[in-house]
Amino acid sequence: WMLVTCTPAGYPLKWFRELVTTSPFWREFVIPFDHRSCPWYSAERIAEVINEARFMPSTFAQRIEGAWEGVTIGRFFAGFEPEQHVKGRDRGLASPSLRWRLGLDHGQGANREVGILSAIRAVNGACKAVHVAREFKSGAGLMGAREIAAGIKAALCDVCEAADLELDALLGRLEIYGDSNAAGLGKAGRYNDEIMVELRAVGIHNPIRSPIKVQGAREDCEALINSLAIRGGLTVDPTCILTLDGLNHYVQGKEAHKDAIDALRYGLYDLLTSRPTGPKLFRA
């Protein structure tokens, strides 16, 4: 027998949650912090602890309600608060003033091929707000160029249907940025060309550009995304699980949760920075 009692705050526990909720050998009891579960506290003390917990909204649901989901201690994107920034905003995505970006990160392994589709509100060329609208991932298997193109098309069509937006209208304002390094797949320098061929086959003729990769670009863009979140300019659709995992758990310098963050920043860096180095265009 094993008894685990915990408040699972501060660490990614997806693996443990799946173990507990999918195995027939575990039973889960969720105990909220209230007078019934803590009768030795006065009502005033209960209210005091709950009010103190509200000052840390990222862990409030775990500490008070016994929720599973939270954020990692030491995560880089401390400005991102799930309670404030996770929002479904499909109804507002039909606006013709929005710009669209799709960032692709090519990796080998489960969920390592990632695409992040973002809607951007810009004023005088400056990025004011970013909404991560959709994402796709490779799942358990390895994605080839044809499957990636199909994933891109499905994500675009899904958001268009939900937002009552014509696909051609979105494509006319969409720029795609794909990682130029797919060495782990044996495709370094040419994988984006293969994807573009398959995109044209499904009616998408947008080129794939190479993201800015000058020295310090990764750290700069991650800091700029965090600053955008602090200012309230970053929101994420609740269906974008990999993106949320990255924002809640990514620690700079570690590989865990990095793929979605890379895909996100590839599509945003030139909008967030004043660096003069511009992206190069891949031509199939």
Side-chain angles (χ1 to χ4, degrees):
W1 290 89
M2 179 180 290
L3 175 66
V4 179
T5 60
C6 64
T7 299
Y11 300 93
L13 287 176
K14 183 178 180 181
W15 63 273
F16 188 51
R17 181 182 186 179
E18 291 178 350
L19 172 67
V20 171
T21 56
T22 61
S23 170
F25 303 107
W26 286 85
R27 292 186 66 189
E28 178 186 2
F29 300 90
V30 180
I31 305 173
F33 182 79
D34 55 25
H35 188 65
R36 186 175 61 176
S37 60
C38 302
W40 52 89
Y41 283 149
S42 66
E44 291 77 13
R45 179 54 181 160
I46 294 286
E48 181 182 352
V49 172
I50 291 175
N51 286 332
E52 289 174 355
R54 294 189 192 282
F55 286 98
M56 297 184 66
S58 59
T59 60
F60 179 86
Q62 294 170 294
R63 294 172 62 193
I64 303 303
E65 301 168 1
W68 276 100
E69 299 300 331
V71 300
T72 292
I73 295 173
R75 66 181 176 132
F76 181 79
F77 296 100
F80 182 80
E81 291 287 356
E83 290 78 8
Q84 300 176 31
H85 299 147
V86 179
K87 297 179 180 180
R89 291 186 162 172
D90 288 345
R91 290 185 179 181
L93 297 181
S95 171
S97 64
L98 292 177
R99 301 170 67 174
W100 290 84
R101 292 293 178 90
L102 174 66
L104 303 172
D105 188 61
H106 309 310
Q108 186 173 17
N111 296 333
R112 297 297 304 275
E113 174 71 41
V114 183
I116 306 294
L117 178 65
S118 302
I120 295 98
R121 181 171 61 84
V123 178
N124 296 325
C127 178
K128 297 298 183 181
V130 172
H131 178 66
V132 179
R134 293 294 187 276
E135 68 180 21
F136 74 89
K137 55 186 181 292
S138 52
L142 180 64
M143 261 191 172
R146 181 174 297 178
E147 290 78 18
I148 293 171
I152 292 172
K153 179 74 175 286
L156 295 174
C157 289
D158 185 60
V159 78
C160 284
E161 181 179 358
D164 195 20
L165 175 65
E166 293 294 330
L167 179 60
D168 287 343
L170 191 157
L171 292 176
R173 290 179 271 125
L174 173 68
E175 293 182 37
I176 306 175
Y177 290 79
D179 189 5
S180 56
N181 180 19
L185 302 173
K187 304 281 188 177
R190 60 189 180 90
Y191 202 38
N192 291 307
D193 295 345
E194 297 182 17
I195 296 171
M196 279 193 290
V197 171
E198 299 298 339
L199 282 175
R200 286 199 293 269
V202 295
I204 299 174
H205 298 274
N206 303 57
I208 299 178
R209 301 176 183 271
S210 177
I212 297 173
K213 283 198 168 185
V214 296
Q215 186 175 4
R218 177 180 62 80
E219 294 84 356
D220 285 353
C221 192
E222 289 173 358
L224 289 165
I225 292 171
N226 189 50
S227 177
L228 188 69
I230 292 171
R231 301 196 309 270
L234 178 65
T235 54
V236 180
D237 190 89
T239 62
C240 298
I241 302 302
L242 283 185
T243 306
L244 293 173
D245 281 349
L247 293 169
N248 288 331
H249 302 297
Y250 170 67
V251 177
Q252 248 186 357
K254 295 188 177 182
E255 284 296 314
H257 310 290
K258 180 174 176 289
D259 301 295
I261 298 302
D262 284 346
L264 177 63
R265 66 181 177 84
Y266 289 156
L268 299 180
Y269 189 36
D270 68 303
L271 295 171
L272 297 174
T273 184
S274 58
R275 279 179 180 259
T277 305
K280 297 177 181 178
L281 180 65
F282 280 99
R283 299 188 184 278

